């Protein structure tokens, strides 16, 4: 098989790689905020449970979580394994990344001085408006570097979908590597991920720059 | 400026009676009583840790008092340690403004938005809020700064923006919590000047301050606090020139040099 054929075959899986990437961001970014707020809840039991869940999600391999979400229902209830693996893959990724984003959000929220809340309160901002208009924009600016880190990691993590044989780019590459006993597909995959992350870096850099109008 | 809203006319805007507040075991305020009449400027002086700031924070509902009364225009915000319902407190909140030691401007907002967002949220017409903000900025010596961001301003300018922001809500009484303590010495003058100007316009104010000459010159009533109680209060001349209490004398002696 020529290099060109490999590249073409593997790029056919890029759509699915992108699907994992974008859908995971779509769900995990807001879900992370909910988790962060639960984690900071003043109701002790709520924050304790959330904290425990985060510990598990961060403390066990994503690959394991991927297998658990995909095949767990089958082993536990004899449910049929989803034909479209995208669903369990995105669920596992979203939950896992939400745990990481939650901790990033929490760090950001806790870094905003209490005086900002007080100033807003005295000026008659409601709690919700204070959060949305005063706190959140400042949090987003502060956490951008950490979020970029996670997004870059996510690009590479999509490759883990091969463990449940979801036909994304890396899975196809691995199959070609096996059938052709060649290392070349892995190099192609590496180049794909790198280029993907060059774009991610550029986009995140642009966003950071747009938030650069104040200190 | 100090245009008054239609509300129950009464001599005293703020009344505080037997106010108590502790942080855990530590009693920060014990039995504080005072009242502030319309058009008056009250200075609160005293050593650090004496409860001055806590008193202001209780009056502005940022701290919950443990006991006593807080009245605005003769109406109870706090009665015998029990707070009025939330909606009532929100209504009382429109009566006062607070200027913080560290300004607490919103860093991601321009000067203009810092000043006019809250009034707009409270239903003021956008154009009217902008107009009022521009007028206030002129008064505070901040012409041309409407599009600047707080980080581009000096501390003195930032504090004047904070004062304008508080005034934009048309408060009936304005609280200052050590407004010049975070400023470089050469910048305190410009902030004190605008407060003095407000005093001349009969804006009702309570100022927690370490600026003794300012307190003496601008206020018509001085309260000396120490250890969570009001040790002595009265006419500034009386308190500064002829203090009755030993603790007041001791405190003031430090400033005589």
């Amino acid at each position: 098989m020529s290099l060109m054929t490999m590249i073409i075959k593997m790029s056919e899986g890029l759509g699915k790689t992108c699907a994992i990437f974008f859908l995971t961001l779509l769900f995990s970014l807001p879900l992370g905020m909910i988790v962060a707020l639960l984690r900071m809840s003043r109701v002790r039991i709520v924050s304790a449970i959330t904290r425990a869940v985060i510990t598990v999600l961060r403390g066990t391999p994503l690959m394991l979580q991927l297998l658990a979400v995909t095949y767990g229902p089958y082993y536990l209830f004899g449910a049929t394994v989803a034909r479209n693996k995208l669903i369990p893959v995105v669920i596992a990724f979203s939950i896992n990344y939400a745990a990481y984003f939650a901790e990033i959000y929490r760090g950001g929220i806790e870094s905003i001085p209490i005086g900002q809340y007080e100033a807003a309160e005295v000026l008659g901002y409601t709690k919700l408006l204070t959060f949305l208009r005063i706190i959140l924009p400042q949090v987003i600016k502060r956490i951008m570097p950490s979020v970029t880190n996670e997004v870059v990691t996510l690009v590479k993590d999509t490759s883990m979908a091969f463990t449940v044989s979801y036909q994304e780019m890396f899975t196809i590459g691995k199959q070609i590597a096996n059938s052709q006993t060649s290392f070349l597909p892995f190099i192609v995959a590496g180049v794909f991920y790198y280029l993907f992350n060059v774009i991610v870096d550029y986009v995140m850099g642009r966003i950071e720059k747009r938030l650069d109008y104040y200190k | 400026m100090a245009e008054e809203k239609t509300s129950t006319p009464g001599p005293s805007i703020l009344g505080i009676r037997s106010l108590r507040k502790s942080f855990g075991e530590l009693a920060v305020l014990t039995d504080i009583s005072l009242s502030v009449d319309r058009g008056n400027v009250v200075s609160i002086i005293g050593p650090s840790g004496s409860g001055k700031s806590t008193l202001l924070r209780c009056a502005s509902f940022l701290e919950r008092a443990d006991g006593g009364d807080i009245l605005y225009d003769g109406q109870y915000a706090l009665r015998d340690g029990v707070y009025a319902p939330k909606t009532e407190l929100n209504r009382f909140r429109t009566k006062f403004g607070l200027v913080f030691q560290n300004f607490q401007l919103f860093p991601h907002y321009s000067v203009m938005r810092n000043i006019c967002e809250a009034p707009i949220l409270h239903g003021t017409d956008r154009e009217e809020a902008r107009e009022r903000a521009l007028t206030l900025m002129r008064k505070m010596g901040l012409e041309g700064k409407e599009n600047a961001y707080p980080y581009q301003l000096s501390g003195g300018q930032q504090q004047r923006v904070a004062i304008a922001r508080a005034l934009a809500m048309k408060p009936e009484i304005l609280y200052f919590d050590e407004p010049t303590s975070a400023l470089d010495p050469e910048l305190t003058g410009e902030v004190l000047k605008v407060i003095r100007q407000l005093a001349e316009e009969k804006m009702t104010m309570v100022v927690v301050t370490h600026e003794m000459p300012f307190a003496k010159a601008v206020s018509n009533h001085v309260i000396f606090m120490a250890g969570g109680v009001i040790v002595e209060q009265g006419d500034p001349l009386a308190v500064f020139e002829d203090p009755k209490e030993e603790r007041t004398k001791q405190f003031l002696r430090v400033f005589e040099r």
Side-chain angles (χ1 to χ4, degrees):
Chain A
M1 190 186 281
S2 74
L3 175 63
M4 205 53 216
T5 328
M6 278 181 195
I7 294 175
I8 290 167
K9 282 210 168 239
M10 286 171 72
S11 13
E12 282 164 10
L14 273 180
K16 286 179 174 168
T17 300
C18 288
I20 302 174
F21 176 78
F22 286 111
L23 289 174
T24 299
L25 285 186
L26 179 71
F27 294 120
S28 63
L29 284 170
L31 182 61
M33 184 53 77
I34 295 169
V35 176
L37 294 176
L38 291 174
R39 171 73 178 80
M40 290 184 293
S41 166
R42 255 172 266 169
V43 185
R44 268 258 187 77
I45 184 83
V46 173
S47 70
I49 291 173
T50 314
R51 186 180 183 165
V53 171
I54 291 174
T55 312
V56 171
L57 289 171
R58 296 204 306 173
T60 60
L62 172 57
M63 198 181 281
L64 210 61
Q65 293 167 26
L66 207 50
L67 291 168
V69 174
T70 312
Y71 301 113
Y74 169 75
Y75 287 113
L76 287 174
F77 322 110
T80 44
V81 176
R83 175 165 284 188
N84 186 353
K85 295 275 176 50
L86 180 63
I87 294 164
V89 166
V90 167
I91 291 175
F93 269 86
S94 298
I95 293 174
N96 179 273
Y97 271 79
Y100 284 93
F101 284 134
E103 288 297 276
I104 293 174
Y105 293 153
R106 185 171 67 92
I109 291 170
E110 287 176 352
S111 76
I112 305 297
I114 187 96
Q116 290 284 302
Y117 292 88
E118 294 182 345
E121 182 183 327
V122 172
L123 289 166
Y125 286 69
T126 60
K127 286 238 159 68
L128 183 65
L129 274 180
T130 302
F131 184 72
L132 293 180
R133 295 210 181 180
I134 308 299
I135 307 302
L136 194 57
Q138 298 185 57
V139 168
I140 290 172
K141 180 182 165 88
R142 287 187 192 199
I143 64 175
M144 274 311 287
S146 316
V147 170
T148 301
N149 250 335
E150 289 304 315
V151 176
V152 165
T153 307
L154 173 60
V155 170
K156 297 173 287 178
D157 277 357
T158 56
S159 63
M160 263 185 249
F162 88 86
T163 48
V164 296
S165 331
Y166 179 61
Q167 294 290 313
E168 45 72 55
M169 182 267 287
F170 188 76
T171 311
I172 296 172
K174 203 168 176 314
Q175 285 158 355
I176 298 172
N178 284 343
S179 64
Q180 307 283 314
T181 40
S182 161
F183 192 73
L184 215 49
F186 293 128
I187 294 170
V188 172
V191 172
F192 272 137
Y193 287 125
Y194 178 73
L195 291 178
F196 199 151
N197 267 331
V198 167
I199 299 169
V200 167
D201 255 343
Y202 174 76
V203 172
M204 298 305 273
R206 283 291 291 267
I207 298 175
E208 270 191 60
K209 198 138 198 205
R210 279 191 65 171
L211 295 172
D212 228 17
Y213 66 92
Y214 72 94
K215 288 195 176 86
Chain B
M1 188 17 50
E3 37 192 319
E4 286 166 12
K5 291 174 186 170
T6 46
S7 60
T8 8
S12 77
I13 292 184
L14 171 69
I16 286 177
R17 293 198 294 240
S18 315
L19 195 73
R20 285 186 292 111
K21 168 73 187 172
S22 357
F23 292 114
E25 294 286 286
L26 181 74
V28 187
L29 299 174
T30 38
D31 199 23
I32 298 285
S33 296
L34 60 92
S35 77
V36 181
D37 290 348
R38 258 171 225 288
N40 275 7
V41 179
V42 176
S43 289
I44 305 179
I45 59 170
S48 47
S50 57
K52 311 180 296 289
S53 291
T54 307
L55 174 57
L56 268 197
R57 292 172 58 82
C58 283
S60 46
F61 311 148
L62 291 177
E63 299 287 352
R64 290 190 86 83
D66 302 323
D69 306 327
I70 297 174
L71 298 95
Y72 279 96
D73 279 327
Q75 295 171 304
Y76 286 99
L78 173 74
R79 184 170 201 164
D80 210 9
V82 182
Y83 277 90
K86 216 175 152 187
T87 48
E88 284 285 284
L89 290 185
N90 284 339
R91 196 169 56 77
F92 289 129
R93 241 179 224 120
T94 63
K95 291 179 181 287
F96 60 78
L98 174 60
V99 175
F100 295 82
Q101 182 177 343
N102 297 316
F103 331 133
Q104 297 300 348
L105 294 177
F106 304 133
H108 56 308
Y109 283 179
S110 65
V111 167
M112 175 56 88
R113 191 159 176 201
N114 260 286
I115 297 173
C116 69
E117 184 171 84
I120 291 170
L121 289 175
H122 281 79
T124 308
D125 172 73
R126 203 164 273 273
E127 264 317 297
E128 192 189 323
R130 282 186 64 89
E131 280 305 311
R132 199 195 300 162
L134 286 171
T135 311
L136 283 167
M137 286 174 58
R138 218 169 300 129
K139 224 174 117 160
M140 297 290 136
L142 295 163
E143 294 99 331
K145 296 288 183 199
E146 54 265 37
N147 294 321
Y149 284 87
Y151 79 95
Q152 297 167 316
L153 304 177
S154 72
Q157 290 171 324
Q158 289 188 48
Q159 191 60 299
R160 284 181 280 144
V161 174
I163 296 171
R165 180 177 70 173
L167 288 171
M169 292 295 288
K170 296 189 177 173
E172 294 175 51
I173 180 168
L174 192 50
Y175 301 136
F176 292 86
D177 188 4
E178 302 196 22
T180 59
S181 296
L183 297 176
D184 292 335
E186 74 269 24
L187 299 177
T188 58
E190 57 189 72
V191 170
L192 295 179
K193 201 180 115 198
V194 300
I195 302 176
R196 187 188 300 252
Q197 189 188 335
L198 291 171
E200 281 159 12
E201 294 166 13
K202 294 289 169 220
M203 180 77 207
T204 315
M205 296 185 280
V206 179
V207 189
V208 168
T209 184
H210 291 293
E211 300 283 339
M212 296 306 145
F214 169 82
K216 191 172 161 184
V218 175
S219 42
N220 13 45
H221 193 82
V222 173
I223 293 174
F224 172 66
M225 281 180 71
V229 296
I230 293 177
V231 175
E232 187 166 356
Q233 59 177 315
D235 186 80
L237 276 180
V239 175
F240 283 106
E241 301 298 331
D242 186 22
K244 300 279 177 287
E245 301 291 328
E246 191 48 44
R247 284 165 96 180
T248 320
K249 289 178 191 168
Q250 225 174 35
F251 175 74
L252 290 174
R253 218 170 286 143
V254 182
F255 290 91
E256 283 167 15
R257 247 171 281 171

